[in-house]
Every structure is written in C-alpha cells, then in structure tokens.
C-alpha cells in the first residue's frame, strides 16, 4: 500500500478577517505564493494591509523582541518619536525592504494621544518573545507565534503536502487505480484504506483446522496482550461450529448466532494480519496483497455484526471491540473511531460500567453465569483503556467519566480455571495471572485520563497549578509501578514466556508514557526545583527508545503495534525538545560538552535509530507515516541539520522518511524549519535563542494528535494498489 496521497486544497476565496481577529483558512497557507499575491492585489487596501505578513522587524523591536508592523517607520517608533532603522543583520536569506508607512502623516505624530493609543495596543497584544523576523503562521484559521509547537506541525504539513503532490504527479496509472478522494468516501471511512466489497453470498475462505488453531493461539498469546475480553475455551468451541458450518455449506452463524461468529472471524482476521506483518517489510503492493485475506475475514465479520437482530448482548460489544483492534492495527483510524463509538453505546446500554445488580443478589435472584460476569468486567475495562488512550491520540473527549463508574476489576482467574459457577478449586496457589495486566493497564489509563484533564486543561490555568497537579499524579504513577506483580514490573521481559513478555512490555511502555505525559511540561522550565521531573521525563523517553530498538532488532512484528508507534513518537519529540532546550542553555552542541555531552550524543543516536524504525514501520500506512514527517522538523531543530528526505526506495519498496547519514538526499524545494532556527557563523551553529519560548503546555496535546488532526482542509486523493 503506497502512502496516502495528499494534495492541498486552497480555498477559492480567502477567509474574511477583522483587525481584532487575525484568521484565515489553513488551506491558504498551502496555496501557491504567486496566486496568493494575485488574490492579495485584488483585495481592498484595508484588507491588504491587515493580511500582509511581517517577515522583518526594525532594529528597536527586534532588540526587544517586540511586535513590529514591519513598516518604515513602524508604528512603535512613530509613537515614541524615534528614528526607525533596519540595519541589523538578517540571517534568513535576502533581507526584504520594509514598505513605507501607509499613514505618512503619522510618521511625525508624537503626540501624547498617539503614544497612549500605541501603549494601549501593546498592552492587549500577546507576548512576543519570539524573534519577529520569523513572522507568523496560520493553522486551522488561527495565527500562531513561530516558536509554538504548532508551527513545527505547520512546516511538517507543508512539507508533506508538497512531497505528496510531487509523488502524485509522478505516479503512473499503469499499476495503480485512483480511488475517489475523501469527499467521495463514506464519512466513517474518509481517508482510510478501502475494505473489499462483500455481501451475504461472499464465500468464506477459512484455512485448515490446525492452521485456524494456530491463528487463534496467536491471537490470545500475542495480538491482544492486555485486552483479554474473550473466554478462550468458548471461542475455541465457536470456531469448531463455524468450521462445521462452512463444511456443510451452512451460514457461518448457524447454531451460535451472528455476534459469536463475527467474533471468531474477527479474531482470525487480526491474527492473520499480525502473522503476515511478522514476515518482514513490505512494499505497498506486497502489503496490500498480504492483508487481502485478513481484510476479507474482517469484512464478513462486519456484515455479521450489521445483520444481528434483537437486543444487544455481551458478544455484540465484544465483536465490535475486536473490530476496533483490527482497524487500528491496519491503520484505519477513522473507521475505528466510529466502530468504537458504537461499541461504547452498547457497553453503556448494557450497564457494564456498573456492578451487577446487588439488589437481585440480596433477594435471592438467580446467580449469573460466572464466565459471562467476568467477561463483562473484562470488556468494560478494555473499553475504558481504549477510551483514555484514543482520547489522547486523537485529542477528543473521553466517553467514560470516573464518577459514573463503580465496576469492579475482574477476578485474577485465567480462562482455563473458569467455570459457569465460579473459579475452579485448584486456584488457591496461583501466583500470576493473565488478567493482572488488564487490571493494571486500566489503573494506569485512569491516571492518564486524570493527567489529561488536570495538567492539560484548556482552562486558563497558571503554571504553578498545572505543576502541582503533575507532582501529585507523578506520585500516583510511582505508587502504581510499585504495586505491579513481579512478572509485570521487576522481572526482565526477556525472561518471561511470550504471553507474559508481551504484557510486561506493554505495561513498561504504558509506565514510561505516563511519566512523559505528566512531566514533559517541565522540560522547558528553568526552575531548579523542577529539574528532577525533567530528568525523569528524559529517562522515561530513553526507556521507550531502548525498548523499541530491542523490539525492532528482535523482528519486524514491531510494525504491527499502533500504540507502540504512538509512544515512540512521543518519546522522540521529548528527546528533541529537551535537546533544543539544552543547546539553548549551554550554547554548544551535544558532542562538545564532556561526559554529559557524550550521554546526550548517545541519546540522539538512539533517537535517530528509533526514528528510522518508526519510519520503516509506518512508511506504507497512513496517517501513521506522518509521524516520520513531523519528526523530521523536530530532529532538524534539535541537531542543527536541515531536514531532508533520503531516496531509499529499494528492493523492499519502502519510502524511507527518516534521514540517515550517507543517504541520497532528495530536495523537495521546501525550506527546512532548521534553516531558520540556526545561524552558521564562523563554523559554529548558534541556535535561535527564542526558539520554543512561546511553547504552551496545551501545545503538547496538539502534538500528540498531530497525525490525526480532524478538519484538516486537505483533499486527500488516495492512491491504493489494485488487488487482482
């Protein structure tokens, strides 16, 4: 599957603006400069003045890092009756000539009234700590200071748009079919890879019974890790029924119902997907063919879910949750969001967020099936974990609220030790359990949700209040870690059996992610009392990168884990932001600062390797591959190297997006963010001292969801390989 083809869709008409709101469409930032100039010339003079971009500040405003209108004389110099000069060195190309003031009469107006008006204007203007030469950037209609984290994303999106436009032009029609743009896709699948068409008469291609058992074993032992919503012996029985039905040409759901048959096929689809991805890197065409069988199984499973009638059951929710896991694994993130919403509605309708009816038990009502009761708990807490994490990844509100939940965590009972009446009698000496990981994953997810709500609140909150909440929640994370069972916290994952190894790795990444999520706001702090939190954040990022590097070396299965990709992205950004801050403080590159510098250098080398792993893992899926493009901008800013896109498409067919030493560089004609952040004078790279000064705590959330931004004004023309 080739990368998603993105083409910017600049609007035909520029957005209207008023002097009090500097806004325009996000798409206009991607339009051709010449066409923008033509539109600019056709506008009234007043609108032209407001929309003009300021790329150079006068010497006085630049020295004080103050907002400047870029005219000669500028409004501030006019107000202060000061000579307005533009003699300071301009380090970003050819210096633009400042236009004359549009109000000549005001050039000599130094009255108290004029000064008072300008003083009032300065008092309401936002703080401008960034170098005014960088100008402003507009994203999603909002004007941002260039040192905001969002401007990194603006540059990354601009680069991605240009790259994809070039690739689209070069794409031959002999080996690909151009599918309709997102405007012609269903709302619930806009931007996703299309699923194969199917209907009630589509034959189901099951493998042999031994192979199906192997896939089912792969599902339970490896694919789901902590998301253990199903009772394995029950699913094995349902699989036998499905196989018998296909042998005698009966509907696959005959004897077990639509939902249970859908669960079986969805489990096989997810296991098949992981099985194919474990075979190595794919070209776009190879991956499309490799996923053909799993997509077919998933499509039939979806048809079974849609055909279910009557009131919803536990299995109705379980089938949809397995569908969500499959869609996330195959990078169909838009579809996964809507299917997850349907699952949440069923879970809420069935009251899984509440304890079972205690009143019925007190009055001697019929005792519920123990397996069903435990699976209800497992299903709810799995949905709870996904709700918290998808909320972070997509930056969308959570559906579940802790104050509405009183559900218990599931019992520490493995599937083989469960009966309909309760746990088996041989359970008393059990030291470890596969369900432990789910319970602890839910507990850390609860902390993640609290961090998002309190530390990253969108309310206007002082840093001290956010820091206080972060301190308290960091302590909660530490308490959670100390409560982990030995096989999930203290023992090295490599010493465990495969199923526990996967669980331990998932929780290790969850722990590191939680630390970064809570403490990364301290990375840019100069307060010595907050230094320990910054150090812990970097240590957590290092742990993630070391884990990912080991996973990638062990085999290509790293490519199948959507959540691991996201955590890797977070860790890399933390490292790059920290490195930018270190260089600003020391004013020397990492490799020239002794022992600490060598440690920084090793961390950057590790980050470079993991960025390569991530780019390889996400090069053929979208929108995950956008991670690599966004990271290029941060890496360039952190290392003082212009970002570039090496041409490493080779035998494996991958578009390698992460830069590496010695690669052939392909120039896409786009200026790098790093080119404007570093000044090379006398052979020494000097970082812009005001870079990241305007970074806000909530910018981290925009960064988290940067690969999945809703309402981006692009017309994504997606080119998918044709499957014969």
């Amino acid at each position: 599957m080739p990368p998603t083809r993105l083409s910017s869709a600049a609007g035909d008409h520029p957005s209207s603006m008023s002097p009090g709101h500097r806004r325009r469409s996000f798409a206009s930032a991607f339009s051709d400069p010449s066409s923008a100039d033509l539109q600019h010339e056709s506008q009234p003079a007043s609108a032209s003045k407001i929309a003009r971009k300021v790329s150079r500040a006068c010497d006085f405003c630049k020295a004080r890092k103050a907002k400047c209108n870029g005219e000669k004389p500028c409004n501030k110099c006019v107000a202060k009756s000061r000579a307005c000069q533009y003699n300071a060195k301009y380090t970003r190309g050819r210096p633009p000539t400042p236009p004359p003031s549009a109000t000549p009469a005001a050039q000599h107006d130094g009255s108290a009234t004029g000064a008072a008006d300008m003083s009032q204007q300065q008092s309401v203007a936002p703080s401008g700590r960034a170098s005014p030469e960088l100008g402003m950037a507009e994203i999603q209609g909002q004007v941002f200071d260039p040192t905001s984290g969002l401007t990194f994303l603006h540059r990354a999106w601009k680069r991605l748009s240009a790259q994809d436009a070039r690739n689209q032009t070069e794409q031959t029609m002999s080996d690909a079919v151009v599918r309709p743009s997102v405007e012609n896709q269903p709302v619930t699948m806009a931007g996703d890879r299309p699923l194969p068409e199917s209907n009630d008469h589509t034959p189901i291609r099951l493998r042999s019974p031994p192979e199906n058992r192997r896939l089912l074993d792969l599902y339970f032992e490896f694919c789901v890790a902590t998301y253990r919503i199903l009772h394995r012996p029950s699913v094995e029985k349902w699989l036998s029924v499905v196989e018998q039905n296909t042998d005698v040409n009966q509907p696959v759901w005959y004897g077990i119902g639509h939902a249970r048959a859908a669960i079986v096929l969805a489990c096989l689809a997810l296991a098949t997907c992981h099985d194919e991805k474990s075979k190595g890197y794919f070209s776009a065409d190879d991956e499309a063919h490799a996923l053909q069988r799993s997509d077919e199984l998933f499509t039939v499973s979806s048809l079974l879910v849609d055909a279910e009638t009557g009131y919803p059951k536990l299995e109705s929710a379980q089938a949809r949750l397995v569908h969500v896991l499959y869609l996330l694994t195959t990078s169909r993130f838009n579809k996964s969001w809507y299917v997850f919403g349907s699952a949440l509605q069923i879970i809420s309708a069935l009251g899984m967020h509440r304890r079972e009816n205690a009143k019925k038990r007190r009055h001697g009502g019929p005792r519920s099936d123990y397996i069903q009761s435990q699976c209800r708990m497992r299903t709810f807490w799995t949905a709870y974990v996904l709700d918290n994490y998808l909320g972070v990844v997509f930056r969308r509100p959570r559906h579940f609220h802790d104050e509405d939940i009183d559900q218990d965590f599931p019992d520490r009972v493995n599937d083989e030790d469960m009966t309909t009446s309760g746990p088996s009698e041989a359970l008393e000496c059990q030291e470890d359990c596969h369900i432990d990981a789910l319970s602890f994953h839910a507990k850390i997810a609860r902390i993640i949700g609290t961090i998002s709500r309190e530390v990253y609140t969108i309310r206007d909150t002082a840093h001290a209040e956010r820091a206080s909440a972060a301190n308290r929640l960091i302590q909660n994370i530490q308490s959670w870690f100390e409560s982990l069972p030995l096989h999930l916290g203290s023992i090295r994952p490599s010493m465990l059996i495969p199923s526990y190894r996967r669980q331990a790795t998932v929780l290790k990444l969850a722990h590191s992610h939680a630390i970064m999520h809570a403490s990364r706001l301290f990375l840019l702090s100069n307060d010595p009392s907050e230094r320990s939190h910054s150090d812990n954040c970097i240590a957590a990022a290092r742990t993630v990168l070391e884990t990912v590097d080991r996973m990638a070396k062990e085999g290509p299965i790293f490519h199948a884990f959507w959540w691991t990709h996201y955590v890797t992205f977070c860790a890399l950004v933390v490292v790059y932001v920290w490195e930018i801050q270190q260089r600003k403080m020391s004013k020397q590159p990492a490799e020239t600062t002794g022992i600490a510098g060598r440690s920084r250098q090793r961390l950057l080398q590790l980050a470079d390797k993991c960025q390569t792993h991530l780019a390889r893992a996400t090069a053929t899926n979208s929108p995950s591959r956008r991670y690599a493009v966004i990271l290029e901008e941060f890496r360039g800013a952190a290392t003082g190297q212009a970002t570039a896109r090496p041409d490493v498409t080779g035998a494996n067919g991958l578009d390698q997006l992460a830069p590496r030493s010695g690669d052939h560089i392909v120039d896409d004609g786009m200026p790098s963010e790093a080119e404007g952040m570093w000044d090379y004078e006398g052979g020494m790279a000097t970082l812009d001292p005001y870079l990241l000064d305007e970074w806000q705590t909530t910018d981290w959330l925009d960064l988290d969801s940067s690969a999945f931004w809703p309402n981006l004004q692009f017309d994504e023309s997606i080119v998918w390989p044709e499957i014969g």
Side-chain angles (χ1 to χ4, degrees):
M1 178 174 68
T4 302
R5 308 300 182 194
L6 305 179
S7 57
S8 62
D12 294 332
H13 303 284
S15 302
S16 60
M17 291 187 295
S18 65
H21 296 80
R22 298 183 60 189
R23 305 168 74 94
R24 68 174 179 177
S25 69
F26 183 43
S28 66
F30 295 83
S31 59
D32 181 72
S34 60
S35 63
D37 290 340
L38 291 175
Q39 290 183 357
H40 177 72
E41 293 174 3
S42 66
Q43 295 174 352
S46 60
S48 175
K49 179 180 178 182
I50 295 171
R52 186 175 65 80
K53 177 180 178 180
V54 178
S55 59
R56 188 182 185 188
C58 75
D59 297 349
F60 179 82
C61 294
K62 178 181 179 181
R64 285 155 180 77
K65 300 178 286 296
K67 187 176 180 181
C68 183
N69 68 356
E71 297 176 352
K72 186 173 183 179
C74 74
N75 49 13
K76 285 185 172 59
C77 290
V78 168
K80 299 294 184 181
S81 299
R82 180 189 305 109
C84 190
Q85 302 293 333
Y86 285 82
N87 297 325
K89 182 179 178 182
Y90 189 81
T91 60
R92 296 176 177 85
R94 183 178 180 181
T97 301
S101 174
T103 56
Q107 295 180 17
H108 306 289
D109 182 5
S111 65
T113 302
D117 290 343
M118 289 306 302
S119 177
Q120 181 180 4
Q121 180 179 349
Q122 292 176 40
S123 67
V124 299
S127 172
R129 288 176 287 172
S131 171
E133 289 183 354
L134 289 177
M136 303 295 284
E138 288 111 10
I139 301 179
Q140 302 243 358
Q142 299 286 342
V143 180
F144 294 98
D145 194 293
T147 53
S148 166
L150 296 185
T151 301
F152 281 95
L153 306 183
H154 161 79
R155 298 297 293 256
W157 276 105
K158 197 170 183 179
R159 191 180 296 276
L160 181 60
S161 178
Q163 183 187 55
D164 286 341
R166 184 181 68 251
N167 291 341
Q168 178 106 350
T169 302
E170 297 172 355
Q171 177 70 44
T172 62
M173 300 301 296
S174 60
D175 60 351
V177 174
V178 178
R179 302 293 184 185
S181 70
V182 293
E183 294 302 321
N184 297 319
Q185 287 184 285
V187 170
T188 59
M189 285 204 68
D192 291 346
R193 172 207 281 272
L195 286 164
E197 297 181 359
S198 184
N199 54 52
D200 294 339
H201 304 290
T202 300
I204 301 176
R205 297 190 301 165
L206 291 180
R207 301 187 183 186
S208 65
E211 184 65 8
N212 289 334
R213 296 315 183 277
R214 184 187 71 82
L215 290 174
L216 204 59
D217 184 69
L218 179 64
Y219 170 84
F220 281 100
E221 295 296 320
F222 196 80
C223 295
V224 292
T226 65
Y227 302 139
R228 305 184 74 88
I229 63 176
L230 300 170
H231 181 242
R232 181 168 181 169
S234 297
V235 178
E236 290 173 344
K237 292 178 182 178
W238 302 341
L239 173 59
S240 297
V241 174
V242 167
E243 290 172 332
Q244 293 171 8
N245 288 336
T246 56
D247 288 342
V248 298
N249 203 26
Q250 288 269 27
V252 292
W253 52 267
Y254 184 78
I256 56 175
H258 289 79
R260 291 177 175 178
I263 288 172
V264 170
L265 297 182
C267 291
L268 294 178
L270 185 57
T272 300
C273 176
H274 276 263
D275 196 38
E276 293 296 338
K277 283 180 176 288
S278 69
K279 295 178 182 178
Y281 303 134
F282 295 106
S283 68
D285 291 333
D286 288 341
E287 185 176 34
H289 285 280
L291 295 180
Q292 183 177 3
R293 175 167 289 187
S294 64
D295 277 354
E296 289 175 354
L297 289 170
F298 174 81
T299 301
V300 176
S301 179
S302 297
L303 288 174
L304 290 170
V305 165
D306 293 339
E308 188 181 11
T309 58
Y311 291 113
K313 302 178 289 293
L314 169 63
E315 292 84 358
S316 307
Q318 290 173 323
R320 287 166 172 82
L321 285 183
V322 181
H323 285 179
V324 170
L325 297 178
Y326 180 82
L327 292 167
L328 291 172
T329 300
T330 57
S331 295
R332 294 180 171 99
F333 294 96
N334 201 35
K335 180 70 172 177
S336 71
W337 176 256
Y338 291 101
V339 174
F340 185 56
S342 175
L344 292 177
Q345 296 300 322
I346 293 176
I347 289 170
S348 298
L350 294 175
M352 294 188 195
H353 60 293
R354 302 296 309 277
R355 295 193 184 100
E356 287 195 87
N357 196 327
K359 182 177 179 180
K360 182 176 72 173
R361 292 199 302 268
R362 287 198 305 268
H363 288 79
R367 185 179 180 86
S368 60
D369 185 305
Y370 180 76
I371 296 175
Q372 285 273 311
S373 175
Q374 290 299 308
C375 285
R376 280 172 58 94
M377 299 178 192
R378 296 182 185 183
T379 300
F380 168 75
W381 287 114
T382 294
Y384 180 88
V385 172
L386 288 171
D387 186 34
N388 278 279
Y389 283 132
L390 292 180
V392 171
V393 173
F394 296 142
R395 200 185 178 184
R396 297 172 186 172
R398 293 168 52 201
H399 294 78
F400 293 125
H401 303 284
D402 292 337
E403 61 269 21
D404 299 326
I405 300 168
D406 66 353
Q407 180 60 277
D408 296 321
F409 289 109
D411 293 345
R412 298 182 68 253
V413 184
N414 287 319
D415 288 353
E416 62 272 18
D417 297 320
M418 296 170 64
T419 69
T420 56
S421 58
S424 64
E425 297 180 357
L427 193 63
E428 308 202 355
C429 297
Q430 180 170 286
E431 296 182 356
D432 49 52
C433 176
H434 283 106
I435 305 304
D436 287 338
L438 171 57
S439 298
F440 281 96
H441 207 174
K443 292 174 182 177
I444 195 68
R446 177 183 289 166
I447 298 175
I448 288 290
T450 306
I451 295 171
S452 298
R453 186 171 61 254
E454 297 186 13
V455 177
Y456 298 97
T457 175
I458 61 175
R459 297 192 305 271
D460 188 10
T461 305
H463 173 78
E465 186 175 342
R466 296 181 191 271
S468 176
N471 283 323
R472 172 171 46 83
L473 292 165
I474 289 171
Q475 291 297 320
N476 292 349
I477 296 171
Q478 181 62 27
S479 298
W480 172 88
F481 180 75
E482 292 172 355
S483 67
L484 285 173
L486 289 177
H487 69 286
L488 296 179
S490 301
I491 300 176
R492 294 182 59 183
S494 59
M495 301 177 63
L496 301 170
I497 62 174
S499 58
Y500 285 135
R501 184 186 311 159
R502 274 282 292 128
Q503 292 186 338
T505 301
V506 167
L507 292 186
K508 184 177 184 179
L509 292 175
H511 176 230
S512 297
H513 171 260
I515 294 175
M516 293 188 296
H517 198 53
S519 58
R520 58 188 177 178
L521 78 160
F522 299 113
L523 286 176
L524 302 179
S525 173
N526 294 321
D527 186 346
S529 65
E530 297 176 344
R531 173 68 182 273
S532 62
H533 293 318
S534 176
D535 292 344
N536 290 337
C537 186
I538 291 300
R542 188 190 298 272
T543 297
V544 170
L545 298 182
E546 290 172 346
T547 302
V548 166
D549 188 44
R550 184 174 61 253
M551 290 174 64
K553 291 177 180 177
E554 289 176 352
I557 196 62
F558 165 69
H559 295 201
F561 302 136
W562 67 275
W563 172 249
T564 306
H565 299 164
Y566 167 75
V567 177
T568 305
F569 172 75
C570 292
L572 287 169
V573 172
V574 162
V575 169
Y576 292 147
V577 169
W578 177 77
E579 176 62 18
I580 291 171
Q581 186 72 352
Q582 293 301 303
R583 288 180 180 243
K584 286 174 61 179
M585 295 169 60
S586 67
K587 303 187 184 300
Q588 292 189 32
E591 59 267 25
T592 63
T593 56
I595 297 176
R598 288 193 292 273
S599 177
R600 284 167 58 187
Q601 187 178 15
R602 287 194 296 270
L603 180 58
L604 287 175
Q605 291 171 346
L606 177 62
D608 195 57
K609 287 197 295 183
C610 289
Q611 186 168 336
T612 299
H613 297 325
L614 182 63
R616 289 186 179 277
T618 62
T620 57
N621 62 20
S622 179
S624 287
R625 79 182 184 95
R626 301 171 192 165
Y627 283 145
V629 181
I630 295 167
L631 285 168
E632 287 182 36
E633 296 299 328
F634 282 93
R635 179 182 180 276
T639 61
Q641 301 173 5
T643 56
R645 281 128 312 282
D647 180 14
V648 295
T649 302
N652 60 12
L654 284 178
D655 291 328
Q656 175 61 33
L657 298 175
R660 293 184 300 173
S661 174
D663 285 332
H664 172 62
I665 302 300
V666 179
D667 184 10
D668 61 4
M670 296 298 298
S672 166
E673 182 77 9
E675 294 172 6
M677 295 175 180
W678 291 83
D679 180 22
Y680 294 88
E681 186 173 359
M684 177 65 70
T686 304
L687 185 66
D688 183 341
Y690 309 115
L691 185 63
L692 297 180
D693 278 3
E694 295 294 330
W695 188 286
Q696 303 295 322
T697 300
T698 52
D699 283 345
W700 287 106
L701 296 185
D702 293 310
L703 186 58
D704 287 339
S705 60
S706 56
F708 309 95
W709 273 1
N711 305 319
L712 279 172
Q713 299 179 19
F714 289 112
D715 178 19
E716 300 194 5
S717 300
I718 301 176
V719 181
W720 302 110
E722 180 180 16
I723 300 177

